[in-house]
Amino acid sequence: MRMNDVLADYAAAATPALIAGYDALPPEQIYASVRDLLPVAPARIADIGAGTGRDAAWFAGQGHRVLAVEPVRAFREAGMALHGDRIEWLDDQLPDLTGLQSHGPFDLVLLCAVWHHLDTAGRARAMPVLARATAPGGRLILSLRHDPEADGRLSFPAPLEEAIDLAHATGLHPIRRAETESVHPESRAKGVRWTWLVLAKGGGR
Protein backbone atom coordinates (compact mmCIF):
# COMPACT_ATOMS: atom_id res chain seq x y z
CA MET A 1 0.00 0.00 0.00
CA ARG A 2 1.50 3.32 -1.07
CA MET A 3 0.50 5.22 2.07
CA ASN A 4 2.39 2.67 4.15
CA ASP A 5 5.47 3.40 2.01
CA VAL A 6 5.04 7.13 2.69
CA LEU A 7 4.75 6.57 6.44
CA ALA A 8 7.75 4.24 6.51
CA ASP A 9 9.78 6.87 4.68
CA TYR A 10 8.79 9.56 7.19
CA ALA A 11 9.51 7.28 10.14
CA ALA A 12 13.00 6.61 8.79
CA ALA A 13 13.61 10.32 8.21
CA ALA A 14 12.35 11.51 11.61
CA THR A 15 15.74 12.66 12.88
CA PRO A 16 16.07 15.35 15.56
CA ALA A 17 17.31 17.76 12.89
CA LEU A 18 14.30 17.17 10.62
CA ILE A 19 11.89 17.49 13.55
CA ALA A 20 13.50 20.74 14.70
CA GLY A 21 13.45 22.17 11.19
CA TYR A 22 9.82 21.25 10.61
CA ASP A 23 8.67 22.67 13.93
CA ALA A 24 10.54 25.92 13.34
CA LEU A 25 8.57 26.91 10.22
CA PRO A 26 6.25 29.83 11.09
CA PRO A 27 2.51 29.03 10.87
CA GLU A 28 1.73 32.73 10.45
CA GLN A 29 3.63 32.68 7.17
CA ILE A 30 2.38 29.27 6.07
CA TYR A 31 -1.30 30.22 6.45
CA ALA A 32 -0.98 33.85 5.34
CA SER A 33 -3.10 33.38 2.20
CA VAL A 34 -6.05 31.85 4.09
CA ARG A 35 -5.64 33.33 7.55
CA ASP A 36 -8.72 35.55 7.27
CA LEU A 37 -10.82 32.41 6.74
CA LEU A 38 -9.54 30.59 9.84
CA PRO A 39 -11.81 30.41 12.91
CA VAL A 40 -11.72 33.38 15.27
CA ALA A 41 -14.12 32.21 17.97
CA PRO A 42 -13.05 29.05 19.83
CA ALA A 43 -13.56 26.13 17.45
CA ARG A 44 -13.02 22.40 17.17
CA ILE A 45 -10.16 21.68 14.76
CA ALA A 46 -8.73 18.45 13.30
CA ASP A 47 -5.17 18.74 11.97
CA ILE A 48 -4.71 15.70 9.70
CA GLY A 49 -1.10 14.66 9.24
CA ALA A 50 -0.09 16.97 12.07
CA GLY A 51 3.58 15.99 12.14
CA THR A 52 5.16 17.45 15.26
CA GLY A 53 2.04 19.40 16.14
CA ARG A 54 3.51 22.75 15.09
CA ASP A 55 0.26 24.03 13.56
CA ALA A 56 -1.96 22.28 16.11
CA ALA A 57 -0.12 24.04 18.94
CA TRP A 58 -0.46 27.38 17.12
CA PHE A 59 -4.23 26.91 16.87
CA ALA A 60 -4.46 25.73 20.48
CA GLY A 61 -2.63 28.87 21.55
CA GLN A 62 -5.50 30.87 20.01
CA GLY A 63 -8.03 29.12 22.21
CA HIS A 64 -9.17 26.35 19.87
CA ARG A 65 -9.65 22.69 20.80
CA VAL A 66 -7.35 20.74 18.49
CA LEU A 67 -7.07 17.07 17.62
CA ALA A 68 -3.67 16.33 16.03
CA VAL A 69 -3.96 13.24 13.82
CA GLU A 70 -0.54 11.73 13.09
CA PRO A 71 0.31 8.10 12.22
CA VAL A 72 4.12 8.39 12.60
CA ARG A 73 5.00 7.55 16.19
CA ALA A 74 8.27 9.51 16.20
CA PHE A 75 6.41 12.70 15.22
CA ARG A 76 3.69 12.16 17.82
CA GLU A 77 6.24 11.60 20.59
CA ALA A 78 8.24 14.65 19.51
CA GLY A 79 5.07 16.72 19.42
CA MET A 80 4.07 15.67 22.91
CA ALA A 81 7.52 16.60 24.18
CA LEU A 82 7.55 19.94 22.36
CA HIS A 83 4.00 21.09 23.00
CA GLY A 84 2.89 19.36 26.18
CA ASP A 85 -0.80 18.70 26.76
CA ARG A 86 -2.15 21.71 24.85
CA ILE A 87 -3.35 19.40 22.07
CA GLU A 88 -4.98 15.97 21.88
CA TRP A 89 -3.28 13.30 19.74
CA LEU A 90 -4.74 10.50 17.63
CA ASP A 91 -2.86 7.70 15.86
CA ASP A 92 -4.83 7.40 12.62
CA GLN A 93 -4.07 7.56 8.91
CA LEU A 94 -5.47 8.48 5.53
CA PRO A 95 -7.32 7.68 3.41
CA ASP A 96 -9.89 6.03 5.69
CA LEU A 97 -9.22 7.71 9.07
CA THR A 98 -11.18 5.00 10.84
CA GLY A 99 -10.61 6.47 14.30
CA LEU A 100 -11.43 10.07 13.45
CA GLN A 101 -15.19 9.82 13.11
CA SER A 102 -15.80 9.18 16.79
CA HIS A 103 -14.06 12.49 17.61
CA GLY A 104 -15.91 14.78 15.18
CA PRO A 105 -17.45 16.66 13.62
CA PHE A 106 -15.07 19.62 13.43
CA ASP A 107 -15.49 23.29 12.59
CA LEU A 108 -12.21 23.12 10.66
CA VAL A 109 -10.50 20.12 9.11
CA LEU A 110 -6.99 20.89 7.93
CA LEU A 111 -4.55 19.03 5.68
CA CYS A 112 -1.33 21.03 5.35
CA ALA A 113 1.28 19.44 3.04
CA VAL A 114 -0.50 16.08 3.09
CA TRP A 115 -2.80 15.73 0.04
CA HIS A 116 0.05 14.99 -2.41
CA HIS A 117 0.99 11.85 -0.47
CA LEU A 118 -2.27 10.22 -1.60
CA ASP A 119 -2.56 8.81 -5.09
CA THR A 120 -5.68 9.34 -7.21
CA ALA A 121 -7.54 6.39 -5.70
CA GLY A 122 -6.56 7.40 -2.17
CA ARG A 123 -7.80 10.94 -2.67
CA ALA A 124 -11.13 9.66 -3.96
CA ARG A 125 -11.48 7.55 -0.81
CA ALA A 126 -10.36 10.31 1.51
CA MET A 127 -12.58 13.20 0.41
CA PRO A 128 -15.91 11.68 1.58
CA VAL A 129 -14.28 10.85 4.93
CA LEU A 130 -13.07 14.44 5.31
CA ALA A 131 -16.48 15.80 4.32
CA ARG A 132 -18.18 13.69 6.98
CA ALA A 133 -15.71 14.94 9.57
CA THR A 134 -16.52 18.57 8.69
CA ALA A 135 -19.45 20.04 10.62
CA PRO A 136 -22.29 21.78 8.74
CA GLY A 137 -21.12 25.33 8.20
CA GLY A 138 -17.53 24.24 8.76
CA ARG A 139 -14.51 24.33 6.47
CA LEU A 140 -11.96 21.95 5.01
CA ILE A 141 -8.60 23.40 4.00
CA LEU A 142 -6.18 21.56 1.71
CA SER A 143 -2.75 22.66 0.55
CA LEU A 144 -1.94 21.13 -2.84
CA ARG A 145 1.74 20.70 -3.61
CA HIS A 146 3.00 21.29 -7.15
CA ASP A 147 6.44 19.72 -7.34
CA PRO A 148 8.47 19.44 -10.56
CA GLU A 149 10.23 16.44 -8.98
CA ALA A 150 7.16 14.48 -7.82
CA ASP A 151 8.28 10.86 -8.09
CA GLY A 152 4.92 9.05 -8.27
CA ARG A 153 5.91 6.88 -5.31
CA LEU A 154 5.89 9.09 -2.22
CA SER A 155 4.62 12.27 -3.85
CA PHE A 156 1.92 12.47 -6.50
CA PRO A 157 0.65 15.31 -8.69
CA ALA A 158 -2.24 17.04 -6.91
CA PRO A 159 -4.42 18.72 -9.56
CA LEU A 160 -6.65 21.52 -8.34
CA GLU A 161 -9.62 20.62 -10.54
CA GLU A 162 -9.56 17.02 -9.31
CA ALA A 163 -9.79 18.21 -5.70
CA ILE A 164 -12.65 20.57 -6.54
CA ASP A 165 -14.56 17.83 -8.39
CA LEU A 166 -14.14 15.43 -5.45
CA ALA A 167 -15.27 18.16 -3.06
CA HIS A 168 -18.40 19.02 -5.03
CA ALA A 169 -19.40 15.35 -5.03
CA THR A 170 -19.38 15.35 -1.22
CA GLY A 171 -21.26 18.61 -0.65
CA LEU A 172 -18.23 20.88 -0.23
CA HIS A 173 -17.75 23.99 -2.35
CA PRO A 174 -14.67 26.18 -2.85
CA ILE A 175 -14.61 29.65 -1.35
CA ARG A 176 -10.92 30.40 -2.00
CA ARG A 177 -8.03 29.26 -4.17
CA ALA A 178 -4.67 30.87 -3.47
CA GLU A 179 -1.31 30.26 -5.16
CA THR A 180 1.81 30.60 -3.00
CA GLU A 181 5.52 29.86 -3.04
CA SER A 182 6.93 27.33 -0.62
CA VAL A 183 7.86 28.66 2.81
CA HIS A 184 10.67 26.10 3.06
CA PRO A 185 13.80 27.57 1.39
CA GLU A 186 15.01 24.28 -0.12
CA SER A 187 11.60 23.46 -1.57
CA ARG A 188 11.26 26.99 -2.96
CA ALA A 189 14.64 26.62 -4.66
CA LYS A 190 13.39 23.44 -6.34
CA GLY A 191 10.39 25.26 -7.77
CA VAL A 192 7.79 23.83 -5.41
CA ARG A 193 4.58 25.85 -5.29
CA TRP A 194 1.30 25.40 -3.42
CA THR A 195 -2.38 25.95 -4.05
CA TRP A 196 -4.43 26.57 -0.93
CA LEU A 197 -8.01 25.40 -1.36
CA VAL A 198 -10.66 26.38 1.19
CA LEU A 199 -13.87 24.37 1.01
CA ALA A 200 -17.10 25.15 2.86
CA LYS A 201 -19.78 22.68 3.91
CA GLY A 202 -23.18 24.23 3.43
CA GLY A 203 -23.24 27.99 3.66
CA GLY A 204 -19.83 28.37 5.33
CA ARG A 205 -19.16 30.65 8.32
Short mmCIF file of all heavy atoms in Angstrom, two decimals, residues 136-186:
data_model
loop_
_atom_site.label_atom_id
_atom_site.label_comp_id
_atom_site.label_asym_id
_atom_site.label_seq_id
_atom_site.Cartn_x
_atom_site.Cartn_y
_atom_site.Cartn_z
N PRO A 136 -21.53 20.84 9.58
CA PRO A 136 -22.29 21.78 8.74
C PRO A 136 -21.89 23.22 9.06
O PRO A 136 -21.82 23.62 10.21
CB PRO A 136 -23.74 21.50 9.14
CG PRO A 136 -23.73 20.07 9.61
CD PRO A 136 -22.40 19.90 10.31
N GLY A 137 -21.61 23.97 8.01
CA GLY A 137 -21.12 25.33 8.20
C GLY A 137 -19.63 25.42 8.43
O GLY A 137 -19.08 26.52 8.54
N GLY A 138 -18.96 24.27 8.52
CA GLY A 138 -17.53 24.24 8.76
C GLY A 138 -16.73 24.30 7.47
O GLY A 138 -17.28 24.41 6.37
N ARG A 139 -15.40 24.21 7.62
CA ARG A 139 -14.51 24.33 6.47
C ARG A 139 -13.45 23.24 6.46
O ARG A 139 -13.01 22.78 7.51
CB ARG A 139 -13.83 25.71 6.48
CG ARG A 139 -14.81 26.84 6.19
CD ARG A 139 -14.22 28.21 6.37
NE ARG A 139 -15.23 29.23 6.07
CZ ARG A 139 -15.10 30.51 6.34
NH1 ARG A 139 -14.00 30.96 6.92
NH2 ARG A 139 -16.07 31.35 6.02
N LEU A 140 -13.07 22.87 5.26
CA LEU A 140 -11.96 21.95 5.01
C LEU A 140 -10.92 22.73 4.21
O LEU A 140 -11.23 23.35 3.20
CB LEU A 140 -12.44 20.73 4.21
CG LEU A 140 -11.38 19.81 3.61
CD1 LEU A 140 -10.55 19.13 4.70
CD2 LEU A 140 -12.04 18.75 2.71
N ILE A 141 -9.68 22.71 4.69
CA ILE A 141 -8.60 23.40 4.00
C ILE A 141 -7.54 22.39 3.58
O ILE A 141 -7.05 21.62 4.40
CB ILE A 141 -7.96 24.49 4.89
CG1 ILE A 141 -9.00 25.57 5.24
CG2 ILE A 141 -6.76 25.12 4.19
CD1 ILE A 141 -8.45 26.70 6.09
N LEU A 142 -7.21 22.42 2.29
CA LEU A 142 -6.18 21.56 1.71
C LEU A 142 -5.09 22.44 1.12
O LEU A 142 -5.38 23.45 0.47
CB LEU A 142 -6.75 20.69 0.58
CG LEU A 142 -7.96 19.81 0.85
CD1 LEU A 142 -8.43 19.19 -0.46
CD2 LEU A 142 -7.62 18.73 1.85
N SER A 143 -3.84 22.05 1.31
CA SER A 143 -2.75 22.66 0.55
C SER A 143 -2.28 21.63 -0.48
O SER A 143 -1.95 20.50 -0.13
CB SER A 143 -1.61 23.13 1.45
OG SER A 143 -0.99 22.05 2.11
N LEU A 144 -2.29 22.02 -1.73
CA LEU A 144 -1.94 21.13 -2.84
C LEU A 144 -0.53 21.46 -3.32
O LEU A 144 -0.26 22.58 -3.75
CB LEU A 144 -2.93 21.29 -3.99
CG LEU A 144 -4.43 21.30 -3.63
CD1 LEU A 144 -5.27 21.47 -4.88
CD2 LEU A 144 -4.80 20.04 -2.89
N ARG A 145 0.34 20.48 -3.25
CA ARG A 145 1.74 20.70 -3.61
C ARG A 145 1.94 20.48 -5.11
O ARG A 145 1.50 19.47 -5.67
CB ARG A 145 2.63 19.73 -2.82
CG ARG A 145 4.13 19.84 -3.11
CD ARG A 145 4.88 18.80 -2.29
NE ARG A 145 6.27 18.69 -2.64
CZ ARG A 145 7.29 19.15 -1.91
NH1 ARG A 145 7.05 19.77 -0.76
NH2 ARG A 145 8.54 19.00 -2.30
N HIS A 146 2.63 21.41 -5.73
CA HIS A 146 3.00 21.29 -7.15
C HIS A 146 4.51 21.22 -7.21
O HIS A 146 5.22 22.22 -7.02
CB HIS A 146 2.46 22.48 -7.93
CG HIS A 146 0.99 22.73 -7.71
ND1 HIS A 146 0.02 21.81 -8.02
CD2 HIS A 146 0.34 23.80 -7.17
CE1 HIS A 146 -1.17 22.29 -7.71
NE2 HIS A 146 -1.00 23.48 -7.18
N ASP A 147 5.01 20.02 -7.46
CA ASP A 147 6.44 19.72 -7.34
C ASP A 147 6.97 19.21 -8.67
O ASP A 147 6.57 18.14 -9.13
CB ASP A 147 6.64 18.67 -6.24
CG ASP A 147 8.10 18.35 -5.98
OD1 ASP A 147 8.97 18.87 -6.70
OD2 ASP A 147 8.36 17.57 -5.04
N PRO A 148 7.90 19.92 -9.30
CA PRO A 148 8.47 19.44 -10.56
C PRO A 148 9.15 18.08 -10.43
O PRO A 148 9.33 17.37 -11.43
CB PRO A 148 9.49 20.52 -10.93
CG PRO A 148 9.06 21.74 -10.18
CD PRO A 148 8.45 21.23 -8.91
N GLU A 149 9.52 17.69 -9.19
CA GLU A 149 10.23 16.44 -8.98
C GLU A 149 9.36 15.36 -8.34
O GLU A 149 9.88 14.39 -7.80
CB GLU A 149 11.47 16.70 -8.11
CG GLU A 149 12.45 17.66 -8.73
CD GLU A 149 13.65 17.92 -7.85
OE1 GLU A 149 13.78 17.26 -6.80
OE2 GLU A 149 14.49 18.78 -8.20
N ALA A 150 8.05 15.50 -8.38
CA ALA A 150 7.16 14.48 -7.82
C ALA A 150 7.49 13.13 -8.44
O ALA A 150 7.55 12.99 -9.66
CB ALA A 150 5.70 14.84 -8.10
N ASP A 151 7.75 12.12 -7.59
CA ASP A 151 8.28 10.86 -8.09
C ASP A 151 7.23 9.79 -8.34
O ASP A 151 7.55 8.70 -8.82
CB ASP A 151 9.34 10.32 -7.11
CG ASP A 151 8.79 10.09 -5.70
OD1 ASP A 151 7.56 10.00 -5.54
OD2 ASP A 151 9.61 9.99 -4.78
N GLY A 152 5.95 10.05 -8.03
CA GLY A 152 4.92 9.05 -8.27
C GLY A 152 4.99 7.87 -7.32
O GLY A 152 4.26 6.89 -7.50
N ARG A 153 5.84 7.95 -6.30
CA ARG A 153 5.91 6.88 -5.31
C ARG A 153 5.53 7.41 -3.93
O ARG A 153 4.64 6.90 -3.27
CB ARG A 153 7.31 6.26 -5.26
CG ARG A 153 7.41 5.05 -4.32
CD ARG A 153 8.82 4.47 -4.35
NE ARG A 153 9.78 5.30 -3.62
CZ ARG A 153 10.03 5.18 -2.31
NH1 ARG A 153 9.38 4.27 -1.59
NH2 ARG A 153 10.92 5.95 -1.72
N LEU A 154 6.19 8.48 -3.50
CA LEU A 154 5.89 9.09 -2.22
C LEU A 154 5.20 10.44 -2.37
O LEU A 154 4.63 10.96 -1.42
CB LEU A 154 7.17 9.26 -1.40
CG LEU A 154 7.96 7.97 -1.14
CD1 LEU A 154 9.23 8.28 -0.37
CD2 LEU A 154 7.12 6.97 -0.37
N SER A 155 5.26 11.00 -3.57
CA SER A 155 4.62 12.27 -3.85
C SER A 155 3.96 12.19 -5.22
O SER A 155 4.59 11.76 -6.19
CB SER A 155 5.66 13.40 -3.83
OG SER A 155 5.06 14.66 -4.09
N PHE A 156 2.70 12.60 -5.28
CA PHE A 156 1.92 12.47 -6.50
C PHE A 156 1.41 13.84 -6.94
O PHE A 156 1.17 14.71 -6.10
CB PHE A 156 0.72 11.55 -6.26
CG PHE A 156 1.09 10.19 -5.76
CD1 PHE A 156 1.15 9.95 -4.39
CD2 PHE A 156 1.39 9.15 -6.63
CE1 PHE A 156 1.51 8.70 -3.90
CE2 PHE A 156 1.74 7.90 -6.15
CZ PHE A 156 1.81 7.68 -4.79
N PRO A 157 1.26 14.06 -8.25
CA PRO A 157 0.65 15.31 -8.69
C PRO A 157 -0.71 15.50 -8.02
O PRO A 157 -1.46 14.54 -7.84
CB PRO A 157 0.51 15.11 -10.21
CG PRO A 157 1.56 14.10 -10.56
CD PRO A 157 1.63 13.17 -9.38
N ALA A 158 -1.00 16.74 -7.64
CA ALA A 158 -2.24 17.04 -6.91
C ALA A 158 -3.03 18.11 -7.67
O ALA A 158 -3.00 19.29 -7.30
CB ALA A 158 -1.92 17.50 -5.49
N PRO A 159 -3.74 17.73 -8.73
CA PRO A 159 -4.42 18.72 -9.56
C PRO A 159 -5.54 19.44 -8.79
O PRO A 159 -6.31 18.81 -8.06
CB PRO A 159 -5.01 17.89 -10.70
CG PRO A 159 -4.27 16.58 -10.67
CD PRO A 159 -3.90 16.36 -9.25
N LEU A 160 -5.62 20.73 -9.00
CA LEU A 160 -6.65 21.52 -8.34
C LEU A 160 -8.04 21.10 -8.76
O LEU A 160 -8.94 20.92 -7.92
CB LEU A 160 -6.43 23.01 -8.66
CG LEU A 160 -7.51 23.98 -8.19
CD1 LEU A 160 -7.65 23.95 -6.68
CD2 LEU A 160 -7.21 25.39 -8.69
N GLU A 161 -8.26 20.94 -10.06
CA GLU A 161 -9.62 20.62 -10.54
C GLU A 161 -10.09 19.26 -10.02
O GLU A 161 -11.28 19.08 -9.76
CB GLU A 161 -9.66 20.67 -12.07
CG GLU A 161 -9.49 22.07 -12.63
CD GLU A 161 -10.46 23.09 -12.02
OE1 GLU A 161 -11.64 22.74 -11.81
OE2 GLU A 161 -10.02 24.22 -11.75
N GLU A 162 -9.18 18.31 -9.88
CA GLU A 162 -9.56 17.02 -9.31
C GLU A 162 -10.08 17.20 -7.89
O GLU A 162 -11.12 16.64 -7.52
CB GLU A 162 -8.36 16.08 -9.30
CG GLU A 162 -8.66 14.73 -8.64
CD GLU A 162 -7.39 14.03 -8.18
OE1 GLU A 162 -6.79 14.47 -7.17
OE2 GLU A 162 -7.00 13.05 -8.83
N ALA A 163 -9.36 17.98 -7.09
CA ALA A 163 -9.79 18.21 -5.70
C ALA A 163 -11.14 18.89 -5.65
O ALA A 163 -12.01 18.54 -4.82
CB ALA A 163 -8.74 19.04 -4.96
N ILE A 164 -11.36 19.86 -6.52
CA ILE A 164 -12.65 20.57 -6.54
C ILE A 164 -13.78 19.62 -6.95
O ILE A 164 -14.87 19.64 -6.36
CB ILE A 164 -12.57 21.79 -7.47
CG1 ILE A 164 -11.63 22.84 -6.87
CG2 ILE A 164 -13.96 22.38 -7.72
CD1 ILE A 164 -11.38 24.02 -7.76
N ASP A 165 -13.54 18.79 -7.95
CA ASP A 165 -14.56 17.83 -8.39
C ASP A 165 -14.91 16.85 -7.27
O ASP A 165 -16.10 16.56 -7.03
CB ASP A 165 -14.09 17.06 -9.62
CG ASP A 165 -14.06 17.92 -10.88
OD1 ASP A 165 -14.67 19.02 -10.87
OD2 ASP A 165 -13.42 17.50 -11.86
N LEU A 166 -13.89 16.35 -6.57
CA LEU A 166 -14.14 15.43 -5.45
C LEU A 166 -14.92 16.14 -4.35
O LEU A 166 -15.83 15.55 -3.74
CB LEU A 166 -12.82 14.90 -4.90
CG LEU A 166 -12.04 13.93 -5.78
CD1 LEU A 166 -10.66 13.66 -5.17
CD2 LEU A 166 -12.80 12.62 -5.96
N ALA A 167 -14.58 17.39 -4.10
CA ALA A 167 -15.27 18.16 -3.06
C ALA A 167 -16.73 18.37 -3.40
O ALA A 167 -17.62 18.16 -2.56
CB ALA A 167 -14.56 19.50 -2.86
N HIS A 168 -17.01 18.79 -4.63
CA HIS A 168 -18.40 19.02 -5.03
C HIS A 168 -19.24 17.76 -4.85
O HIS A 168 -20.41 17.84 -4.44
CB HIS A 168 -18.45 19.47 -6.50
CG HIS A 168 -18.21 20.93 -6.70
ND1 HIS A 168 -18.90 21.90 -6.02
CD2 HIS A 168 -17.34 21.58 -7.52
CE1 HIS A 168 -18.48 23.10 -6.41
NE2 HIS A 168 -17.53 22.94 -7.31
N ALA A 169 -18.66 16.61 -5.14
CA ALA A 169 -19.40 15.35 -5.03
C ALA A 169 -19.77 15.01 -3.59
O ALA A 169 -20.65 14.17 -3.35
CB ALA A 169 -18.59 14.21 -5.64
N THR A 170 -19.11 15.64 -2.63
CA THR A 170 -19.38 15.35 -1.22
C THR A 170 -20.07 16.51 -0.50
O THR A 170 -20.19 16.50 0.73
CB THR A 170 -18.08 15.01 -0.47
OG1 THR A 170 -17.19 16.13 -0.52
CG2 THR A 170 -17.40 13.80 -1.08
N GLY A 171 -20.54 17.50 -1.25
CA GLY A 171 -21.26 18.61 -0.65
C GLY A 171 -20.39 19.74 -0.14
O GLY A 171 -20.85 20.59 0.63
N LEU A 172 -19.14 19.79 -0.59
CA LEU A 172 -18.23 20.88 -0.23
C LEU A 172 -18.06 21.80 -1.44
O LEU A 172 -18.00 21.32 -2.58
CB LEU A 172 -16.87 20.34 0.20
CG LEU A 172 -16.84 19.42 1.42
CD1 LEU A 172 -15.52 18.69 1.50
CD2 LEU A 172 -17.09 20.21 2.70
N HIS A 173 -17.96 23.10 -1.21
CA HIS A 173 -17.75 23.99 -2.35
C HIS A 173 -16.62 24.97 -2.04
O HIS A 173 -16.43 25.39 -0.90
CB HIS A 173 -19.04 24.75 -2.69
CG HIS A 173 -19.50 25.70 -1.63
ND1 HIS A 173 -20.31 25.30 -0.59
CD2 HIS A 173 -19.27 27.03 -1.45
CE1 HIS A 173 -20.56 26.34 0.19
NE2 HIS A 173 -19.94 27.39 -0.29
N PRO A 174 -15.84 25.32 -3.06
CA PRO A 174 -14.67 26.18 -2.85
C PRO A 174 -15.07 27.63 -2.59
O PRO A 174 -15.95 28.18 -3.26
CB PRO A 174 -13.89 26.05 -4.16
CG PRO A 174 -14.90 25.66 -5.17
CD PRO A 174 -15.94 24.85 -4.45
N ILE A 175 -14.40 28.23 -1.60
CA ILE A 175 -14.61 29.65 -1.35
C ILE A 175 -13.30 30.43 -1.51
O ILE A 175 -13.32 31.65 -1.48
CB ILE A 175 -15.22 29.90 0.05
CG1 ILE A 175 -14.34 29.32 1.16
CG2 ILE A 175 -16.63 29.34 0.12
CD1 ILE A 175 -14.83 29.65 2.57
N ARG A 176 -12.19 29.72 -1.68
CA ARG A 176 -10.92 30.40 -2.00
C ARG A 176 -9.94 29.42 -2.63
O ARG A 176 -9.85 28.26 -2.22
CB ARG A 176 -10.27 31.03 -0.77
CG ARG A 176 -8.90 31.67 -1.11
CD ARG A 176 -8.39 32.59 -0.06
NE ARG A 176 -9.35 33.67 0.20
CZ ARG A 176 -9.26 34.48 1.24
NH1 ARG A 176 -8.28 34.34 2.13
NH2 ARG A 176 -10.15 35.43 1.42
N ARG A 177 -9.20 29.93 -3.61
CA ARG A 177 -8.03 29.26 -4.17
C ARG A 177 -6.91 30.28 -4.17
O ARG A 177 -7.07 31.37 -4.71
CB ARG A 177 -8.28 28.80 -5.61
CG ARG A 177 -9.60 28.10 -5.84
CD ARG A 177 -9.84 27.90 -7.32
NE ARG A 177 -11.24 27.65 -7.60
CZ ARG A 177 -11.74 27.38 -8.82
NH1 ARG A 177 -10.91 27.37 -9.85
NH2 ARG A 177 -13.01 27.17 -8.98
N ALA A 178 -5.78 29.92 -3.58
CA ALA A 178 -4.67 30.87 -3.47
C ALA A 178 -3.36 30.17 -3.85
O ALA A 178 -3.07 29.09 -3.34
CB ALA A 178 -4.58 31.44 -2.06
N GLU A 179 -2.60 30.80 -4.72
CA GLU A 179 -1.31 30.26 -5.16
C GLU A 179 -0.19 30.90 -4.33
O GLU A 179 -0.15 32.13 -4.18
CB GLU A 179 -1.09 30.56 -6.63
CG GLU A 179 -2.20 30.08 -7.56
CD GLU A 179 -2.29 28.57 -7.62
OE1 GLU A 179 -1.24 27.91 -7.47
OE2 GLU A 179 -3.41 28.05 -7.80
N THR A 180 0.71 30.07 -3.81
CA THR A 180 1.81 30.60 -3.00
C THR A 180 3.10 29.87 -3.32
O THR A 180 3.10 28.73 -3.81
CB THR A 180 1.52 30.44 -1.49
OG1 THR A 180 1.52 29.05 -1.14
CG2 THR A 180 0.19 31.06 -1.11
N GLU A 181 4.23 30.52 -3.01
CA GLU A 181 5.52 29.86 -3.04
C GLU A 181 5.67 29.02 -1.78
O GLU A 181 4.95 29.20 -0.79
CB GLU A 181 6.65 30.89 -3.12
CG GLU A 181 6.72 31.65 -4.41
CD GLU A 181 7.95 32.55 -4.45
OE1 GLU A 181 8.43 32.95 -3.37
OE2 GLU A 181 8.43 32.83 -5.56
N SER A 182 6.64 28.12 -1.81
CA SER A 182 6.93 27.33 -0.62
C SER A 182 7.61 28.19 0.44
O SER A 182 8.44 29.04 0.13
CB SER A 182 7.84 26.16 -0.98
OG SER A 182 8.15 25.39 0.17
N VAL A 183 7.22 27.97 1.70
CA VAL A 183 7.86 28.66 2.81
C VAL A 183 9.24 28.08 3.07
O VAL A 183 10.17 28.79 3.48
CB VAL A 183 6.98 28.57 4.07
CG1 VAL A 183 7.70 29.09 5.30
CG2 VAL A 183 5.68 29.33 3.85
N HIS A 184 9.40 26.78 2.81
CA HIS A 184 10.67 26.10 3.06
C HIS A 184 11.69 26.51 2.00
O HIS A 184 11.45 26.34 0.79
CB HIS A 184 10.46 24.59 3.04
CG HIS A 184 11.60 23.82 3.60
ND1 HIS A 184 12.77 23.61 2.90
CD2 HIS A 184 11.77 23.19 4.79
CE1 HIS A 184 13.61 22.89 3.63
NE2 HIS A 184 13.02 22.63 4.79
N PRO A 185 12.83 27.06 2.39
CA PRO A 185 13.80 27.57 1.39
C PRO A 185 14.25 26.53 0.37
O PRO A 185 14.36 26.84 -0.82
CB PRO A 185 14.97 28.06 2.25
CG PRO A 185 14.37 28.34 3.60
CD PRO A 185 13.28 27.33 3.77
N GLU A 186 14.53 25.31 0.82
CA GLU A 186 15.01 24.28 -0.12
C GLU A 186 13.92 23.91 -1.12
O GLU A 186 14.20 23.73 -2.31
CB GLU A 186 15.46 23.04 0.66
CG GLU A 186 16.74 23.25 1.47
CD GLU A 186 17.19 21.98 2.16
OE1 GLU A 186 16.70 20.88 1.81
OE2 GLU A 186 18.02 22.07 3.08
#
